[in-house]
Amino acid sequence: MDTQGVPTLSTQLAIYAADPAGPVPSITADLETRLQAALSAGRAAWTDLPLSDEEFLRYLAERLPESTELSDALEHLHARDLYLACACALGKPHALELFERYCLSELPAVLSRFSTNKELHDEVRQAVRERLFVSKKGERARIEDYGGRGSLVGWVRVVAVRLAVDLLRKQGKPTAALEEDVLQSFAIGSDSELRLLSERYKDDVKVAFREAFAALSVTERNLLRLHYLDGLTIDEIAALKRVHRSTAARRIV
């Protein structure tokens, strides 16, 4: 608590994240600074989305990875993106409008690599809206599955690509090349030099990537699809494969 008896952000988060049957998570020295920075990043990015400290901290606490120090989890948090997802989940005014501009505006460019059919693009965008914000009875909306461990735009892109794959399969169109193109975009997207080479030698890079992908075992290819296309986290893959999370991470690398 501060000098006036008001709980600090770090104290509130630790309480919200605590296992009722276990001890309150430890609070490291820089946790308060990281939380202040996270809240400031969210509010600076989305000035029209007033979230209280309590609303954001409760939402964040529910999505912290288990067995991880709070300060370590916050170090890699995409705070501004989680702030927007939280506002959408809580039904804040203007949240969906901002989500549309931020996350869906680039989908036509992504989807045009697989199909130029504008009707398909519209169908995918509508399917994304329904998948993320329309919840079945007794279930929460899928937007609440986003935990801030990667960019929200990238997470939505994965959702959109999977929905596009499903739609194209229903139309009887091949989808293997589509999935490989998406995996290639993840492989080179974060490396500026690779991206320049890919643009310059587009056809050669595509052939080389597909040959390399085909050389992987079925298990290895499925692992990449689970992580990059289906959006499973390291912890989820580890649980699915019944291995330690470090083993799952090493296999993906």
Side-chain angles (χ1 to χ4, degrees), residues 11 24 26 38 42 65 73 89 122 128-129 147 162 208 221 232 235 237-238:
T11 300
V24 174
S26 60
D122 291 340
V128 169
R129 297 183 187 103
R162 295 308 299 166
R221 290 198 296 271
L232 269 64
D235 292 316
I237 291 174

Side-chain angles (χ1 to χ4, degrees), residues 161-212:
V161 168
R162 295 308 299 166
L163 290 170
V165 168
D166 291 342
L167 288 171
L168 289 172
R169 279 178 178 157
K170 289 179 181 178
Q171 297 173 8
K173 297 180 180 179
T175 58
L178 186 154
E179 291 188 343
E180 289 167 11
D181 281 348
V182 176
L183 286 171
Q184 178 184 325
S185 73
F186 279 110
I188 67 174
S190 60
D191 190 310
S192 58
E193 292 185 8
L194 284 178
R195 189 164 58 249
L196 287 173
L197 287 172
S198 177
E199 292 171 356
R200 182 174 299 177
Y201 305 107
K202 181 178 180 180
D203 294 336
D204 291 335
V205 169
K206 188 180 293 291
V207 170
F209 183 87
R210 287 183 176 169
E211 288 178 351

Side-chain angles (χ1 to χ4, degrees), residues 8-218:
T8 62
L9 297 177
S10 51
T11 300
Q12 293 180 66
L13 181 67
I15 293 172
Y16 298 150
D19 181 348
V24 174
S26 60
I27 300 175
T28 57
D30 65 341
L31 182 58
E32 185 74 13
T33 300
R34 292 188 187 278
L35 286 173
Q36 291 284 6
L39 278 165
S40 296
R43 287 169 177 158
W46 316 109
T47 56
D48 293 333
L49 297 178
L51 287 177
S52 68
D53 291 355
E54 180 181 359
E55 286 174 326
F56 182 70
L57 291 175
R58 283 188 181 277
Y59 198 82
L60 170 59
E62 292 174 0
R63 286 153 186 81
L64 290 171
E66 296 180 4
S67 303
T68 303
E69 286 290 340
L70 296 182
S71 58
D72 292 339
L74 289 172
E75 182 178 0
H76 304 290
L77 180 72
H78 289 246
R80 54 175 280 174
D81 288 1
L82 188 66
Y83 193 95
L84 175 59
C86 175
C88 289
L90 296 180
K92 295 294 183 178
H94 309 300
L96 293 183
E97 178 185 346
L98 292 170
F99 174 88
E100 290 265 339
R101 290 208 303 256
Y102 183 55
C103 296
L104 300 190
S105 60
E106 72 155 26
L107 285 188
V110 173
L111 297 174
S112 64
R113 292 159 45 201
F114 315 127
S115 172
T116 58
N117 187 324
K118 301 298 184 184
E119 292 183 358
L120 175 69
H121 296 181
D122 291 340
E123 192 172 355
V124 170
R125 283 198 297 270
Q126 182 57 30
V128 169
R129 297 183 187 103
E130 293 176 2
R131 175 66 61 88
L132 297 184
F133 300 113
V134 178
S135 59
K136 296 180 181 179
K137 187 175 181 179
E139 298 181 5
R140 69 183 191 181
R142 290 290 297 277
I143 186 63
E144 296 186 46
D145 291 342
Y146 173 71
R149 292 186 288 278
S151 78
L152 181 60
V153 171
W155 187 80
V156 171
R157 180 173 60 180
V158 169
V159 172
V161 168
R162 295 308 299 166
L163 290 170
V165 168
D166 291 342
L167 288 171
L168 289 172
R169 279 178 178 157
K170 289 179 181 178
Q171 297 173 8
K173 297 180 180 179
T175 58
L178 186 154
E179 291 188 343
E180 289 167 11
D181 281 348
V182 176
L183 286 171
Q184 178 184 325
S185 73
F186 279 110
I188 67 174
S190 60
D191 190 310
S192 58
E193 292 185 8
L194 284 178
R195 189 164 58 249
L196 287 173
L197 287 172
S198 177
E199 292 171 356
R200 182 174 299 177
Y201 305 107
K202 181 178 180 180
D203 294 336
D204 291 335
V205 169
K206 188 180 293 291
V207 170
F209 183 87
R210 287 183 176 169
E211 288 178 351
F213 190 68
L216 298 174
S217 68
V218 173

